[in-house]
Amino acid sequence: MLGLGELEASVMDVLWDAAEPLRVRQVLDELNRHRDLAYTTVMTVLDNLHRKGWVVRDLENRAYRYRAVTTRAEATARSLREVLDSVDDRESVLLHFVSTVSEEESDVLRRALRRKPKKR
């Protein structure tokens, strides 16, 4: 994801995969299946993600529970939008992108474009 460091992205993946908001300890336990992180490290990352607007937190029994503000799909779409907004030649970028999509992805794009109302 644009704007996220590697650990921030890993924390977001845990939150996106969760069925409910998680406490720091729950995020830590999930992340530590593949690495060895300190509780304070994960707490700091979650605090930074909250400050950046990626997560919201609710206080429950003296501990925060964290959840993602947007879905993974919405965040990915926002990243794609930021990439397009950062280049001068959007047409060229879009044409190169379209040349890489599968037939199935092409069908999805066509359907989405047919449903999109035209701006006036």
Side-chain angles (χ1 to χ4, degrees), residues 32-81:
N32 277 347
R33 291 177 188 233
H34 308 289
R35 57 177 93 188
D36 189 26
L37 297 168
Y39 180 92
T40 53
T41 299
V42 175
M43 184 175 63
T44 299
V45 170
L46 282 163
D47 189 54
N48 289 340
L49 288 168
H50 178 259
R51 187 177 36 78
K52 291 179 178 182
W54 283 87
V55 301
V56 292
R57 62 187 181 194
D58 298 306
L59 192 58
E60 183 182 289
N61 298 328
R62 297 181 16 196
Y64 284 115
R65 286 190 170 269
Y66 293 85
R67 64 181 167 80
V69 170
T70 63
T71 66
R72 186 187 325 257
E74 291 167 331
T76 303
R78 184 173 63 197
S79 292
L80 291 172
R81 179 79 261 161

